[in-house]
Amino acid sequence: MNLEHLNELKKLLSSPKKIAIIPHKNPDGDAIGSTLALWHYLVNTGHTASIVAPNDYPKFLKWMPGSDQILNFEKENSQSKSCINNADIIFTLDFNHLGRVGQMSEILESAKATFVMVDHHQEPSDYAKIMYSDVKMSSTCEMVYVLINQLGDENSITPEMANCIYTGIMTDTGSFKFAATTSNTHRVIADLMDKGAEGTEIHHRIYDTNSPSRLHLLGCALKNMVILEDYSTAYITLSQNELDTYNYQKGDTEGFVNYGLTLDGIKFAVIFIENKEEGIFKISFRSVGEFSVNDFARKHFHGGGHTNAAGGKSDDNKEETIAYFTSLLPLYKNQLQS
C-alpha cells in the first residue's frame, strides 16, 4: 500500500469503527482466510467487525478460527444488509470489481461507507477510496500479513490469525508451487509458523478430508478429459447431471482443472462446469509459462484473474461452448507451442 493510502487507513482505524468485510462470491481459501485474519485483527484492536459472504463456501474451510461468525448474505439477508448499511468502513478482499459479489453488488454500490480494497488480481476498478493492489503478491492473505505489518502491528498476529493466513497462501499458491510463490512468501510462511500456524494440520484439513463422492466425481472428470496435443491444451467438462450423480457439494471441483497441467507437454488447462440454476457454464483456466489466461478469459469468456489462473463463463450450451473454445485455439497456436 502506498504511503498516502496507508496513512489514510491508519487515520480511519485510529478510533473504533463499525466495519464490514466482504469476500467474493463462491469464496475460496484465500478469500475466507484473508477475511477471517482481518476480522480477528480488527476485533482485537477494538473495532466492531463482521464478515458478510455473498453465499456459502466449502465445508473443508469451515474449521478455520472464526468461521462460525461469517454471515451468509443468501441465508442471513436482513442481518447482512444491516451490517453493510451501518458500516463506517467496508473492506473488500480478494476481488477488485463489485460484479464479483453477485446479488450483493447493488447494496454495496449504494453503501455510504469508506471502501478499502485489498486484492492481487489484475485490472482493478476504482470503487475503493483506499486501495492496496499488488498483482505480484501470491495471495490476498500474504497482502493482509504485509498490511498488518505496515500498520505497525506485526506482533499482534495470533495463532488463529496465523492459521487463517497460512491457509489462504497455501491454497492460492497450489501448496507453494505456482510461479507467484516468492522467497518472501516462504519467509512469511516461516514467520506464521513461528506465530503458531500448524502447517501439517492445515494441509490435512484442506486436502485429506475428501468424501467418497468427491473422489468418484474426480474420476468422472478425468475420464472426460480431452487432450489437444496440437495446442498443448487439455480440457475437462462436467455436466449438471454428472454433478448430481456424484452428489456434488460446494468446493468439490476445487483443483480439478490443475490435473491437465500435470500432463507432459500441456501448457493450457481448462474445466467447464455446468450450472443449470444460473444457466451458464462456469470456466476455470490455468496455464504455465507466458500464456496469459487472464487475457484469454477477459477477451472471450467475460472473465479474468491472473496471468496463469483465471475464470470465466459461457451462456451457451455445452456443445456451443466447447465449439467456440476450440475454434479460438488456432489463434493462439504459436503462443501455446513456444
Side-chain angles (χ1 to χ4, degrees):
M1 182 177 287
N2 67 44
L3 187 59
E4 179 185 351
H5 282 196
L6 180 61
N7 287 334
E8 193 168 355
L9 182 58
K10 285 181 177 179
K11 185 177 179 181
L12 270 179
L13 297 177
S14 63
S15 60
K17 296 292 193 301
K18 294 179 181 178
I19 301 173
I21 308 169
I22 315 295
H24 55 74
K25 185 179 180 182
N26 299 319
D28 56 8
D30 192 26
I32 294 297
S34 60
T35 53
L36 281 171
L38 182 63
W39 176 79
H40 282 288
Y41 169 73
L42 292 170
V43 169
N44 291 345
T45 51
H47 302 282
T48 301
S50 300
I51 301 171
V52 181
N55 61 346
D56 202 4
Y57 57 96
K59 182 180 179 181
F60 61 76
L61 297 173
K62 293 186 176 180
W63 60 270
M64 296 172 69
S67 61
D68 58 336
Q69 300 297 310
I70 297 175
L71 295 172
N72 181 333
F73 186 82
E74 289 184 342
K75 296 180 178 179
E76 298 158 297
N77 189 260
S78 59
Q79 190 177 355
S80 298
K81 286 181 176 179
S82 177
C83 287
I84 293 170
N85 288 330
N86 292 325
D88 302 307
I89 306 170
I90 295 177
F91 280 88
T92 64
L93 270 60
D94 204 35
F95 68 96
N96 60 21
H97 192 286
L98 293 182
R100 292 284 283 115
V101 295
Q103 62 180 329
M104 279 178 59
S105 60
E106 186 174 346
I107 189 170
L108 287 178
E109 287 168 357
S110 62
K112 305 302 183 186
T114 299
F115 278 80
V116 182
M117 176 201 297
V118 182
D119 179 66
H120 66 133
H121 295 89
Q122 297 179 4
E123 301 182 39
S125 56
D126 61 356
Y127 64 84
K129 183 178 181 181
I130 299 174
M131 290 179 59
Y132 179 22
S133 175
D134 189 343
V135 300
K136 294 181 180 179
M137 280 284 186
S138 72
S139 56
T140 301
C141 271
E142 185 174 345
M143 296 178 74
V144 167
Y145 172 92
V146 171
L147 179 60
I148 291 171
N149 278 259
Q150 289 180 337
L151 290 170
D153 288 325
E154 60 270 18
N155 294 324
S156 72
I157 295 179
T158 63
E160 292 79 12
M161 293 164 64
N163 277 322
C164 293
I165 297 171
Y166 187 110
T167 299
I169 296 175
M170 183 187 75
T171 54
D172 236 38
T173 59
S175 293
F176 316 109
K177 73 178 182 180
F178 295 158
T181 307
T182 65
S183 59
N184 194 61
T185 305
H186 286 290
R187 281 187 281 270
V188 170
I189 287 295
D191 188 50
L192 292 171
M193 294 180 73
D194 290 342
K195 287 179 164 62
E198 301 172 294
T200 300
E201 180 64 19
I202 292 169
H203 193 284
H204 168 72
R205 288 178 177 271
I206 297 295
Y207 297 118
D208 300 334
T209 55
N210 289 312
S211 65
S213 59
R214 181 181 187 268
L215 293 185
H216 291 147
L217 180 62
L218 173 60
C220 176
L222 295 178
K223 186 177 180 180
N224 290 348
M225 183 182 289
V226 175
I227 302 168
L228 302 173
E229 292 183 1
D230 287 347
Y231 304 106
S232 304
T233 295
Y235 71 84
I236 291 169
T237 59
L238 282 172
S239 68
Q240 185 69 61
N241 183 59
E242 288 168 328
L243 296 173
D244 294 343
T245 297
Y246 295 104
N247 191 33
Y248 167 79
Q249 302 296 311
K250 186 173 288 292
D252 276 355
T253 58
E254 188 77 23
F256 282 14
V257 64
N258 295 319
Y259 280 89
L261 294 180
T262 68
L263 293 166
D264 186 29
I266 296 300
K267 295 183 177 180
F268 186 21
V270 188
I271 188 168
F272 302 88
I273 303 174
E274 186 176 18
N275 185 319
K276 273 203 169 177
E277 182 179 353
E278 296 184 26
I280 62 171
F281 269 84
K282 294 184 176 181
I283 313 171
S284 290
F285 303 96
R286 299 290 185 271
S287 68
V288 293
E290 299 300 317
F291 182 67
S292 174
V293 291
N294 172 63
D295 293 343
F296 187 90
R298 286 183 182 276
K299 187 171 183 180
H300 303 296
F301 287 99
H302 316 288
H306 305 287
T307 298
N308 297 122
K313 68 173 185 175
S314 170
D315 297 319
D316 297 326
N317 63 32
K318 174 183 172 180
E319 290 73 21
E320 292 168 338
T321 298
I322 298 302
Y324 176 58
F325 170 72
T326 55
S327 75
L328 297 170
L329 295 178
L331 303 174
Y332 296 91
K333 187 172 184 178
N334 290 339
Q335 293 181 51
L336 291 168
Q337 290 188 336
S338 61

